[in-house]
Amino acid sequence: MSGKTLVVVESPAKAKTIKKILGSNYEVKASVGHVADLPQRDLGVDIENDFAPKYVVKKDKQKVVGELKKAAKKASRVLLATDPDREGEAISWHVARLLELDPSQPLRVHFHEITPRVVRAAVKEPTPINQNLVDAQQARRVLDRLVGYNLSPVLSAQFRQRALSAGRVQSVALRLITEREAEIEAFVPKEYWTLAGTFDAGARFGAELYEIDGRRVLDKKKEVFAITSEAEARKVEAEVKAVRAWKVAAVERKEKRRHALPPFTTSTLQQAASSRLGWGAGRTMRVAQRLYEGVNLGPEGPVGLITYMRTDSVRIAPEAVTEARSFIPRRYGAEYLPPKPNYYRGKKSNVQDAHEAIRPTRVERTPEEVRPFLSDEEYKLYDLIWRRFVASQMTPAVYDQTTITVTGGRFTFRAAGSILKFDGFLRVWGRDQTEEQALPEVARGAEARLLELTAEQHFTQPPPRYTDASLVKKMEELGIGRPSTYAPTIETLERRAYVERQGRALKPTELGKQVVGFLVEHFPRVVAYEFTAQVEDRLDEVEEGKQPWPEVVREFYQPFTEELSRVPRKTCPVCGRPLELKVSRYGQFLGCTGYPECTYTEPLEEKKEPEPIGENCPKCGAPLVRKWGRYGSFIACSAYPKCDYTRDEAPSTGITCPKCKEGEIVRKISRRGKPYYRCNKQGCDFVVFDPPTEQTCPKCGWVMVKKGKKEVLKCSNPDCEDYAYPNLKKRSGSKADARKKTSHKKTTAKKKTGPKATWADLEPFTAGLEEAERRLVVQTEGEGVPLEKAAANLGITLEEAAKLHKRAMFKLRMAYGRAKKKA
């Protein structure tokens, strides 16, 4: 043994920070997230045996696990320091299991902040792994697998489309978005009018018509509108102008206090970052992760700048409160410090309150001080977190509120204004100037003159679409999901093309609406708000040790299977058995459940007939049609193959192509489901693999793209020195390149070859082909059917048939060659 202590964390960035803090007696390695999970291609859950999960080492983590095992054998002891939440506890449990460690022994440490003081103290007091936290995470993972594994194939078969998915939280969030869209589409605006007057009662001020005969003119919350047409507005306007005597009936002045907001939780951080910075939930959490894991502050070294960012607690550690109360009077003055500390109460008081709110690890480390060491987005988020925390421990803001009531005849006008008397916590958090309106000093009972009167038309507005901020807020209100699930849920909805962004707003796609409609009809409990919230509460009970986790899974699974059994399935036209979604190396397809007795199959995606779009081809004048390929729809000429005109039909970014200056950059999806961006003008080969921006390169004027997780701006021009990708042009022509070409020429010299194999030679080997391959080559090579007709017979596109034919013939020739060698 080396005598060193092995510390296992999740991320390599955190490993570097902690290694520098702990020193040479510790070896710190990263698991790089989860090391074990349920198998990809199997359910992995033993339903008959209390839903026992079957865990396997993830393919991409086998090397990591091997390195951890080697390091553990050399170490004198092992400490597991994954993130301090359910998921982190589960990762530690998996690592302990794979390293053959006893989880009941003291080997778990928690870093709620990554600072020298906390890290060094934590490694001295390890605890056993919290099995309740592990069980809560196991229950969540098993539930998600049961829903996804059973429901996603049903969706794909129902909508005849690849890569559809459903989830316990994801589908409920999608329902929220689609129901809001339905409200917007069904909204009928109501017309109403307001009257505003300018009065003089020793000083001028503006006031709005408030009451007529003691009845409110306007109440937006209750949708009470007394004046609903121009005719009514003009009639009231004439009556108001006819009033001869006006007086100030009342002047009310009072002091209003606005108290500081609590420090951030995960959801409120995502909401504030959305409203103040315009960021999505995913981006917010990625930047927060970097601030938590550690930033190199030069002489001070690497240190975590914020406490753990996945929390629903507003609790603050006593030492942090003391530090803030010492800092505030020195920085801003004694009047900004309340007599007693501000304490905040969260919505729930459970085990998760062991976490703190999100705060800076050291309040003396101001945003200005650390700015030189941070990227622009890291600085912006740290500044937001720092200000929110400091403001939470400051005095309330004080406003002077004034209300002036003016009466005349049967009309009452009212003016309301407020002036900030003392800024309090707003000194740090900032304030909105538009909320202030000063009113002059006027005496009660004073005569007033109406100087001006204007009538203005308004219409009620539909509810706004959800943004990341408002969706997270609504999910939190309903009890759907938990801090770690908000950002991944929104990202999944975008990735599955269930929603699309319009600015900051989330709008459901037609596919998203159809999926929700299907789920609401056939799986009402799965997408029920109350039921999903109850499951979250039950998971909290598992975490608190009040409930065995298999029981919680069973409560959800039984009604789910009942609903699943009632879903109508497409039947096999040959034998009448249900069809099910199957997967081969060539993709998904529908196959008979009676296999191998019945071998009927059909393509997953139904072939659609070309759809006219009402435009003519700019190349030959023939009508243009919409066609569908593997990667979605596209526009093509109906005269194909005589005319080969095509253009992309993909969501436009609204950004002009910097290469041809004519086309627009559109968002496309690759074969592997990853987005890329290209020009939609035929003949232009501009393409980038990261989101383009409206910013241009200061060196060449081309479009800049957001590169990597840190979203660093890079140029899209291959000839620019700031090009975002490896510049292949610069590499060509090098000596190494020339050597490769010379070597390639030598190895590709002409070889002596015999006569080509005939179909009669190859046919005996067709038994080794996939069913689709065999059917295709039998038709084309054996029966002489043209490839186009064979593709139509199989229900696939000509392009797919060509690839399938090439692959099948290659296999046959290889099999024939091997057999010939043996002979």
Side-chain angles (χ1 to χ4, degrees), residues 77-237:
R77 66 168 180 162
V78 179
L79 297 177
L80 306 176
T82 51
D83 288 350
D85 56 12
R86 289 178 188 169
E87 203 162 350
E89 205 75 14
I91 293 173
S92 282
W93 182 75
H94 282 301
V95 171
R97 183 174 58 86
L98 292 170
L99 300 185
E100 299 180 353
L101 303 173
D102 183 357
S104 64
Q105 294 300 307
L107 45 77
R108 178 79 167 107
V109 294
H110 298 87
F111 302 146
H112 294 284
E113 60 182 78
I114 301 179
T115 56
R117 177 183 62 83
V118 170
V119 169
R120 288 167 186 155
V123 296
K124 292 178 181 178
E125 297 181 1
T127 61
I129 289 174
N130 187 328
Q131 191 61 41
N132 291 336
L133 285 176
V134 175
D135 289 345
Q137 181 61 26
Q138 283 197 110
R140 179 181 290 280
R141 185 69 188 99
V142 169
L143 279 172
D144 291 344
R145 170 53 64 94
L146 291 174
V147 173
Y149 194 87
N150 288 288
L151 195 48
S152 297
V154 173
L155 287 179
S156 290
Q158 173 69 25
F159 294 98
R160 309 298 292 265
Q161 190 168 328
R162 295 178 176 89
L164 296 188
S165 71
R168 189 177 50 82
V169 175
Q170 163 198 328
S171 298
V172 178
L174 180 59
R175 182 183 177 184
L176 281 170
I177 296 170
T178 54
E179 288 185 347
R180 173 60 59 85
E181 191 68 19
E183 289 179 46
I184 295 170
E185 291 172 354
F187 181 80
V188 178
K190 294 182 180 179
E191 180 183 5
Y192 68 95
W193 288 70
T194 58
L195 271 72
T198 302
F199 291 87
D200 187 344
R204 290 192 177 196
F205 60 93
E208 287 201 353
L209 180 62
Y210 183 70
E211 290 178 345
I212 301 176
D213 290 329
R215 179 169 160 254
R216 286 283 298 272
V217 172
L218 178 66
D219 189 337
K220 291 182 181 179
K221 288 184 179 179
K222 297 180 181 179
E223 290 201 348
V224 174
F225 309 110
I227 307 172
T228 57
S229 67
E230 185 175 5
E232 291 177 3
R234 298 308 174 200
K235 182 181 177 182
V236 173
E237 184 180 19

Side-chain angles (χ1 to χ4, degrees), residues 294-316:
V295 175
N296 194 332
L297 299 182
E300 193 176 350
V303 64
L305 293 181
I306 64 170
T307 53
Y308 192 55
M309 66 286 165
R310 292 186 182 94
T311 176
D312 55 10
S313 172
V314 291
R315 186 181 66 82
I316 304 172

Side-chain angles (χ1 to χ4, degrees), residues 240-254:
V240 170
K241 287 180 177 179
V243 174
R244 294 186 176 180
W246 296 92
K247 72 171 183 177
V248 177
V251 178
E252 297 179 22
R253 298 187 187 279
K254 61 181 179 181

